[in-house]
Amino acid sequence: MAHISIIGSGNMGQAISGLVAKGGNTVELVNSSDAGKPVTGDIVVLAVPYSSVASVIAERGAQLAGKVVVDITNPLNFETFDSLTVPADSSAAAEIAAALPESHVVKAFNTNFAGTLQAGSVGGQTTTVLIAGDDADAKALLAGVVGAAGLRSVDAGGLKRARELESLGFLQLTLAVGEKISWTGGFAVTE
Amino acid sequence: MAHISIIGSGNMGQAISGLVAKGGNTVELVNSSDAGKPVTGDIVVLAVPYSSVASVIAERGAQLAGKVVVDITNPLNFETFDSLTVPADSSAAAEIAAALPESHVVKAFNTNFAGTLQAGSVGGQTTTVLIAGDDADAKALLAGVVGAAGLRSVDAGGLKRARELESLGFLQLTLAVGEKISWTGGFAVTE
């Protein structure tokens, strides 16, 4: 049994919370009004926009030491939908890992729309969560939570691959905003 | 009716050739032994590895003026499978467009495995060709060829989006090489 804290109660935070509970693991939803309350999860999901991550880290960085921290962000410039706000040779996950050297940072869920996490399928395929990270145990712990909910996970490689996952998330968002795909569709991973 | 020249006769060149013919358009396959023969297509597909593109351009650049040039490359470091060989803030397509200022360069097919172009489907979904480019007419011409073959195309935006398409192609290749997906699977685009 894993215990997961989710910081942020938007549509992604809610979808991931539902997924955790569906798999029989325990979940704690934490929002900005809970500022004084330390997170208790072994896994902590940062389900806030990338622009809010720095303030979460400033407030809770020390609490996150030793924990698996899940970065789900797509660091888009949401005014233009035409670029990312992180350096071209970096990623949101790499920036977060640099700011949390005592945590095990993994990138996950940024290539999944909330609707496909809730449905458990996309285009007739089981929804697949792509997970990148440098700590095998951290990835396995998260993969267990995903698998318990009946979804599939795929190890996408080291944290360096977060850059490609963020490109994929970016592309998928531009396609949805441009009405080329729906918010219940997008990229399915086919074996 | 469109007339398409395909430079390169590897598995992607053959798969795209089959697709063109299936749609009732005409195709000319050109390989390195045809060096003296000018290409005649309105659309010219560079179906060679990225490392060979510069020599194709050196040899045939003048012939490509005014034509739609399709870049299908994934500019991976194929020794490490861990990085791309183009600058992080650029793309193979951008480099090719810079070298062919009188051509209409589009990025396409790099997110499709040959097997899914031949099958016409991936994971039960119609194979989708993502096309990026700055010239709407060029994209529409190629989309017509793809659609005539019964495949779907999606306009992924301007040529700037080639960077994300190349990240997607890169990620998909690493997953196949790592046996996380098969060469007849990969990313399906779900409406």
Side-chain angles (χ1 to χ4, degrees):
Chain A
M1 170 86 74
H3 181 49
I4 292 99
S5 299
I6 298 177
I7 300 178
S9 50
N11 67 338
M12 283 298 289
Q14 290 177 45
I16 296 167
S17 170
L19 176 153
V20 171
K22 190 175 171 186
N25 292 294
T26 57
V27 64
E28 161 188 72
L29 264 175
V30 180
N31 63 37
S32 53
S33 64
D34 301 321
K37 193 178 147 202
V39 290
T40 59
D42 313 304
I43 300 176
V44 180
V45 179
L46 304 179
V48 296
Y50 182 62
S51 56
S52 301
V53 167
S55 66
V56 171
I57 290 176
E59 186 186 313
R60 299 186 182 271
Q63 296 168 27
L64 302 177
K67 294 181 186 293
V68 176
V69 172
V70 183
D71 165 31
I72 74 162
T73 64
N74 281 307
L76 264 73
N77 177 332
F78 286 103
E79 285 179 20
T80 64
F81 270 89
D82 195 40
S83 64
L84 295 179
T85 62
V86 291
D89 60 354
S90 184
S91 66
E95 307 283 311
I96 292 169
L100 294 173
E102 295 179 50
S103 302
H104 307 296
V105 174
V106 300
K107 184 91 200 180
F109 298 114
N110 77 297
T111 65
N112 304 109
F113 288 150
T116 70
L117 292 174
Q118 284 159 334
S121 68
V122 53
Q125 301 279 317
T126 301
T127 300
T128 299
V129 179
L130 296 168
I131 305 178
D134 292 334
D135 187 291
D137 291 340
K139 288 194 281 192
L141 189 63
L142 183 61
V145 170
V146 169
L151 277 66
R152 199 162 73 94
S153 68
V154 165
D155 182 345
L159 199 65
K160 197 177 172 189
R161 283 293 85 73
R163 197 174 132 204
E164 283 70 45
L165 296 187
E166 292 175 16
S167 288
L168 176 53
F170 171 23
L171 180 65
Q172 186 171 240
L173 282 166
T174 67
L175 294 177
V177 168
E179 300 187 347
K180 307 291 170 72
I181 58 171
S182 75
W183 294 99
T184 54
F187 291 103
V189 184
T190 303
E191 288 177 278
Chain B
M1 170 86 74
H3 181 50
I4 293 100
S5 300
I6 298 178
I7 300 177
S9 49
N11 66 338
M12 283 297 290
Q14 289 176 46
I16 296 168
S17 170
L19 177 152
V20 171
K22 190 175 172 187
N25 291 293
T26 57
V27 63
E28 161 187 70
L29 264 174
V30 180
N31 62 38
S32 53
S33 64
D34 302 320
K37 196 177 143 199
V39 290
T40 58
D42 312 305
I43 300 176
V44 180
V45 180
L46 304 179
V48 296
Y50 181 63
S51 56
S52 301
V53 167
S55 66
V56 171
I57 289 176
E59 186 186 314
R60 298 185 183 272
Q63 297 168 26
L64 302 177
K67 294 181 186 293
V68 175
V69 172
V70 183
D71 165 31
I72 73 162
T73 65
N74 281 306
L76 264 73
N77 178 330
F78 285 104
E79 285 179 18
T80 64
F81 270 89
D82 196 39
S83 63
L84 295 179
T85 62
V86 290
D89 59 355
S90 185
S91 65
E95 307 283 311
I96 292 169
L100 294 172
E102 293 178 51
S103 302
H104 307 296
V105 175
V106 299
K107 185 91 199 179
F109 298 114
N110 77 299
T111 65
N112 304 109
F113 288 151
T116 70
L117 292 175
Q118 284 159 334
S121 68
V122 53
Q125 300 280 318
T126 301
T127 300
T128 299
V129 179
L130 295 168
I131 305 177
D134 291 334
D135 187 291
D137 291 340
K139 289 195 281 193
L141 189 64
L142 183 61
V145 170
V146 169
L151 276 66
R152 199 162 73 95
S153 68
V154 165
D155 183 346
L159 198 65
K160 197 176 172 189
R161 283 294 84 72
R163 198 174 132 203
E164 284 69 44
L165 296 187
E166 292 175 18
S167 288
L168 176 52
F170 172 23
L171 179 65
Q172 187 172 239
L173 282 166
T174 67
L175 294 176
V177 167
E179 300 186 350
K180 307 293 170 68
I181 58 172
S182 74
W183 294 99
T184 52
F187 291 103
V189 184
T190 303
E191 288 176 276

